[in-house]
Amino acid sequence: DAGITQSPRHKVTETGTPVTLRCHQTENHRYMYWYRQDPGHGLRLIHYSYGVKDTDKGEVSDGYSVSRSKTEDFLLTLESATSSQTSVYFCAIQEYNEQFFGPGTRLTVL
Amino acid sequence: DAKTTQPPSMDCAEGRAANLPCNHSTISGNEYVYWYRQIHSQGPQYIIHGLKNNETNEMASLIITEDRKSSTLILPHATLRDTAVYYCIVRDKAAGNKLTFGGGTRVLVKP
C-alpha cells in the first residue's frame, strides 16, 4: 500500500459545513494526488501536489482546496460541502512510473 | 491525455487467459500505455505499463501493436480474485504525471 493512509475513512456531514480529508504518506514521495470517484465512473483528478506548498488544479477542482505544508500530508478541504460532493475520495502518491492509491474516504453530504 | 476505448464488460472462465483490449488511436509518440485495476471498494492498483515493446511482469502481459494504436492486457490464468474493473490509460510523463481514467472494463471471472 506504499504507506498511504487516509482519514477519516467514512464521514457523514451536512450541506454547508466545512470538511477536511487527510492523506498521509510515510515514504517521502514528492507527488501526491486527490481523486474522486462517483458510481459508474472512473476516477477524476481534483488537485495534485508536486512538493511542499506546490499544488495545482485537476479537472474537477471547483469547490475544493488543498494544502501541503509538509511532505507527508496532503489535505483536501471542502469549504462548504454540497450534496454533489458526496463521493469516494482517493489519495495517491507517485513512485517512479507508478501511482499508488490509498484505501479511500467515503463522504456523504446530506 | 489521449482518450482510450474499452469494452464495458467481459466474462472470463477461471484458469483461462483473459485478454482485455484497449484502443488508443490518437496516442502520441511520448505517451505510455498504463493499466490499472480496481477491485470493489478498493483504491486502484497498478498492473503494468509500456511504451512500444511488449511487457511482462508477475501480474500480466501487455501487448502493444506496432502502430501503437491499440493494446491488449493479458491475465494468463485468471482467478476469482481478478474480478475487477480494468482501466487502460495513456499518459504523457511530461504532463504532471496525471492519470485520466475512462470507464474501464468490468471483468467477471466465473468458476
Side-chain angles (χ1 to χ4, degrees):
Chain A
D1 63 0
I4 307 167
T5 57
Q6 293 185 231
S7 58
R9 293 293 313 280
H10 302 272
K11 186 171 181 65
V12 180
T13 191
E14 294 186 349
T15 298
T17 60
V19 176
T20 295
L21 308 182
R22 179 183 183 232
C23 178
H24 179 77
Q25 55 133 335
T26 59
E27 299 181 7
N28 210 34
H29 296 292
R30 179 182 173 194
Y31 282 86
M32 298 183 75
Y33 306 81
W34 275 109
Y35 293 86
R36 63 176 286 176
Q37 185 173 34
D38 302 300
H41 293 82
L43 280 71
R44 292 182 291 171
L45 182 66
I46 306 172
H47 282 279
Y48 67 102
S49 170
Y50 46 96
V52 173
K53 300 190 189 302
D54 292 324
T55 65
D56 205 350
K57 296 179 180 180
E59 61 178 309
V60 290
S61 59
D62 287 348
Y64 301 95
S65 63
V66 289
S67 65
R68 191 158 178 212
S69 59
K70 47 186 178 178
T71 300
E72 57 265 36
D73 288 327
F74 191 31
L75 304 181
L76 177 71
T77 298
L78 291 64
E79 300 291 348
S80 178
T82 67
S83 58
S84 65
Q85 293 176 311
T86 292
S87 189
V88 179
Y89 291 85
F90 289 100
C91 172
I93 58 91
Q94 177 85 20
E95 181 175 286
Y96 301 110
N97 295 314
E98 307 162 18
Q99 285 192 14
F100 293 93
F101 288 80
T105 294
R106 183 173 297 275
L107 176 66
T108 301
V109 184
L110 302 176
Chain B
D1 290 354
K3 293 183 178 180
T4 62
T5 304
Q6 300 176 251
S9 64
M10 63 182 293
D11 293 344
C12 176
E14 186 180 19
R16 296 292 186 97
N19 296 292
L20 283 62
C22 180
N23 288 320
H24 31 79
S25 58
T26 59
I27 192 170
S28 62
N30 57 346
E31 287 181 317
Y32 286 69
V33 180
Y34 280 75
W35 283 84
Y36 281 77
R37 73 180 183 183
Q38 188 174 23
I39 297 170
H40 181 63
S41 297
Q42 298 180 20
Q45 176 188 21
Y46 167 83
I47 301 173
I48 198 167
H49 77 281
L51 181 63
K52 297 180 182 178
N53 300 321
N54 298 337
E55 302 288 344
T56 295
N57 63 20
E58 65 278 5
M59 290 182 67
S61 295
L62 174 61
I63 309 298
I64 302 174
T65 58
E66 190 169 347
D67 63 7
R68 301 207 328 120
K69 293 185 177 182
S70 66
S71 61
T72 301
L73 179 75
I74 301 172
L75 307 177
H77 305 287
T79 70
L80 299 180
R81 289 192 297 268
D82 291 322
T83 291
V85 178
Y86 287 77
Y87 296 98
C88 170
I89 300 164
V90 293
R91 190 186 83 170
D92 182 346
K93 287 188 174 181
N97 300 307
K98 292 172 281 189
L99 295 174
T100 301
F101 287 79
T105 296
R106 187 173 298 276
V107 174
L108 176 62
V109 180
K110 297 182 174 179

